[in-house]
Amino acid sequence: MTVIQRCSWAGNDPDYCRYHDLEWGVPVHDDTKLFEMIILEGFQAGLSWLTILKKRDHFKKAFLDWDYEAIAAFSGVDTERLMSNRGIIRNRLKITSAVKNAKAFIKLRKEFGSFNEYIWRFTNYKTIFPSPPPKTVSEIPTHSKESDLMSKDLKRRGFSFVGTVICYSFMQAVGMVNDHMEGCFKCYKGNT
């Protein structure tokens, strides 16, 4: 029986392993998926990513399949509906931030043609591969000059819950940076 070697942070939880194997570090260019991930990363602030993964289906339903146009039109009634939804993180600041971010997201799409076009500029439209790859979890960065710039620009454009650490996690989640650890089957080894 072949044992798959993963980044140690993935542990043995099936949701975490599936996320690690199929999503983390894989480039995303679909605006709806990018919107989902930036909102989920904001909800994750102060919590574990596994908590978010376990509630992901509830989030998808509560936020109308990540329809940013519909979310931008959410009212106080929608906020109260979400505050009573036990399936998601019931944090008023994060919920109102999601609505605010949907509005800012739509503006960015109008300006750049797509959020994808805007966001990938921060890595020059390429995935960043650290060299050498991290050997331990403690060697995986929590921010970078790119996430610092992204955070500053997103805030200037009306986004919230987009600090540099959240932006870096977002970059990892959507494949703008590939931080798979040495020994992991998804670790980038260049042309060797």
Side-chain angles (χ1 to χ4, degrees):
M1 181 170 142
T2 306
V3 176
I4 295 175
Q5 280 216 251
R6 295 181 174 92
C7 296
S8 59
W9 60 260
N12 295 316
D13 183 278
D15 290 329
Y16 238 0
C17 290
R18 188 169 32 259
Y19 175 72
H20 170 276
D21 294 357
L22 302 176
E23 292 187 65
W24 198 69
V26 176
V28 173
H29 297 286
D30 175 76
D31 272 10
T32 301
K33 183 70 174 172
L34 291 167
F35 178 71
E36 173 191 4
M37 296 313 292
I38 204 157
I39 298 301
L40 289 178
E41 290 293 347
F43 271 99
Q44 187 258 336
L47 304 168
S48 76
W49 185 245
L50 187 56
T51 298
I52 300 301
L53 285 179
K54 298 286 186 189
K55 294 177 174 287
R56 196 172 186 182
D57 289 339
H58 295 286
F59 272 108
K60 183 178 180 180
K61 185 176 179 184
F63 284 92
L64 310 177
D65 292 330
W66 302 111
D67 180 343
Y68 41 84
E69 297 278 353
I71 295 164
F74 276 7
S75 66
V77 171
D78 295 297
T79 299
E80 294 311 315
R81 173 182 56 81
L82 293 169
M83 284 297 294
S84 66
N85 185 334
R86 294 176 185 259
I88 67 168
I89 306 301
R90 295 180 291 167
N91 177 304
R92 189 174 301 277
L93 287 176
K94 292 178 180 181
I95 290 168
T96 56
S97 171
V99 176
K100 178 182 176 186
N101 289 352
K103 292 174 184 174
F105 185 90
I106 292 165
K107 284 183 186 173
L108 269 177
R109 290 186 83 239
K110 286 180 182 162
E111 182 178 347
F112 290 90
S114 71
F115 187 74
N116 175 68
E117 180 64 28
Y118 163 77
I119 207 71
W120 277 87
R121 296 175 323 129
F122 292 97
T123 60
N124 200 24
Y125 304 96
K126 293 183 247 175
T127 298
I128 297 169
F129 294 95
S131 182
K135 293 180 180 168
T136 64
V137 172
S138 65
E139 289 181 15
I140 299 174
T142 58
H143 68 96
S144 66
K145 66 180 193 281
E146 294 85 2
S147 69
D148 293 346
L149 290 169
M150 181 189 294
S151 172
K152 186 176 179 181
D153 199 59
L154 285 170
K155 287 176 182 177
R156 182 178 68 80
R157 293 171 179 277
F159 283 77
S160 57
F161 279 94
V162 287
T164 188
V165 173
I166 289 173
C167 285
Y168 194 77
S169 292
F170 168 78
M171 291 170 68
Q172 292 170 313
V174 301
M176 294 174 75
V177 64
N178 184 319
D179 279 335
H180 284 284
M181 296 164 58
E182 188 175 287
C184 172
F185 82 99
K186 294 200 73 175
C187 179
Y188 178 75
K189 298 175 181 61
N191 295 325
T192 61

